[in-house]
């Protein structure tokens, strides 16, 4: 996805932001472009209070002078604007490519609405080509890994489930957890998988965002398409 498309999707989503809004602010490279555009508007006088979905987003917002609060002070938000790794026609999402899925989902749940910013390549018929990030507790990692494989088999899903690495391996989330990326290839019944995963005690959260997104801004070289509305 080119930076230009990320900027265009972010610019389109900015039209939803109104004075006085309590705004959840997403994580990722598309969300970063949104933050830059939002900061310009704030400099021009827009009054919003942001709640960031990761330490990385918090740092960028602070650097650019966006006023921030927390869910402790502000437990209900008007809107969250965030990126996604995959979106289907029912606005079901896979998120967590950047590892911030837990805070992103907590913020989305606290928000009246969620708007997604992405390019058209993120729109899929069936979720799952992007490996599903599953945030897990460090304790009992092997047992949790096995339990996830068992659930997957029960639902007819297969594929490698690998511990996320990175510059510092294993990758550790803002909450101090680990991520298992599940390469299922396709997830025909995301609700069933969600329910089963959340029954595993070692699973902290997963990257299936079901029933959150109300609007999707999809950028392509022909322009930005808005799907859905607030
Ligand atoms: C981070 C996320 C991101 O929103 C998702 O990975 C999309 O990122 P990008 O805009 O860089 O493609 O869920 O946890």
């Amino acid at each position: 996805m080119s930076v230009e498309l990320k900027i265009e999707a972010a610019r389109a989503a900015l039209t939803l932001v109104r004075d006085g809004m309590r705004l959840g602010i997403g994580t990722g490279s598309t969300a970063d472009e949104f933050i830059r555009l939002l900061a310009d508007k704030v400099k021009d006088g827009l009054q919003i209070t942001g709640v960031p979905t990761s330490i990385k987003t918090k740092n960028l917002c602070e650097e650019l002078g966006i006023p921030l609060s927390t869910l402790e002070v502000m437990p209900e938000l008007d809107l969250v604007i965030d990126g996604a790794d995959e979106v289907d026609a029912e606005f079901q999402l896979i998120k967590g490519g950047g590892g911030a899925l837990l805070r992103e989902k907590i913020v989305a749940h606290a928000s009246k609405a969620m708007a997604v910013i992405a390019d058209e390549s993120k729109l899929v018929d069936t979720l799952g080509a992007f490996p599903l990030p599953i945030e897990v507790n460090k304790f009992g990692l092997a047992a949790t890994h096995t339990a996830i494989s068992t659930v997957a088999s029960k639902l007819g899903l297969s594929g490698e489930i690998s511990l996320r690495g990175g510059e510092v391996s294993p990758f550790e989330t803002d909450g101090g957890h680990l991520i298992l990326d599940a390469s299922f290839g396709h997830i025909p019944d995301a609700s069933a998988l969600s329910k089963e995963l959340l029954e595993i005690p070692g699973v902290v959260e997963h990257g299936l965002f079901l029933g959150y997104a109300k609007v999707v801004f999809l950028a392509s070289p022909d322009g930005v398409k808005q799907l859905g509305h607030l």
Side-chain angles (χ1 to χ4, degrees), residues 55-121:
I55 293 171
K56 191 170 168 284
T57 287
K58 178 174 180 281
N59 291 343
L60 182 60
C61 288
E62 283 176 351
E63 201 181 294
L64 297 176
I66 295 173
L68 295 181
S69 186
T70 64
L71 287 181
E72 278 64 43
V73 176
M74 199 177 266
E76 291 181 330
L77 307 178
D78 299 298
L79 176 67
V80 57
I81 296 178
D82 203 345
D85 300 300
E86 283 186 348
V87 187
D88 75 7
E90 289 164 14
F91 294 1
Q92 301 186 116
L93 315 173
I94 285 185
K95 285 185 53 56
L101 64 111
L102 175 59
R103 292 190 185 191
E104 288 172 335
K105 200 177 276 188
I106 292 171
V107 169
H109 198 264
S111 301
K112 285 187 198 141
M114 178 180 194
V116 172
I117 46 180
D119 81 314
E120 60 179 357
S121 72

Side-chain angles (χ1 to χ4, degrees), residues 6-67:
K6 293 177 197 199
I7 294 171
E8 288 318 310
R11 198 188 308 284
L14 202 55
T15 60
L16 300 178
V17 180
R18 306 267 177 272
D19 256 333
M21 265 191 174
R22 302 161 296 178
L23 188 67
I25 304 178
T27 296
S29 55
T30 317
D32 284 352
E33 297 307 332
F34 173 76
I35 293 166
R36 291 192 185 95
L37 294 172
L38 181 67
D40 289 343
K41 289 276 179 200
V42 167
K43 277 193 198 98
D44 291 345
L46 176 72
Q47 297 202 339
I48 58 102
T49 306
V51 171
T53 53
S54 65
I55 293 171
K56 191 170 168 284
T57 287
K58 178 174 180 281
N59 291 343
L60 182 60
C61 288
E62 283 176 351
E63 201 181 294
L64 297 176
I66 295 173

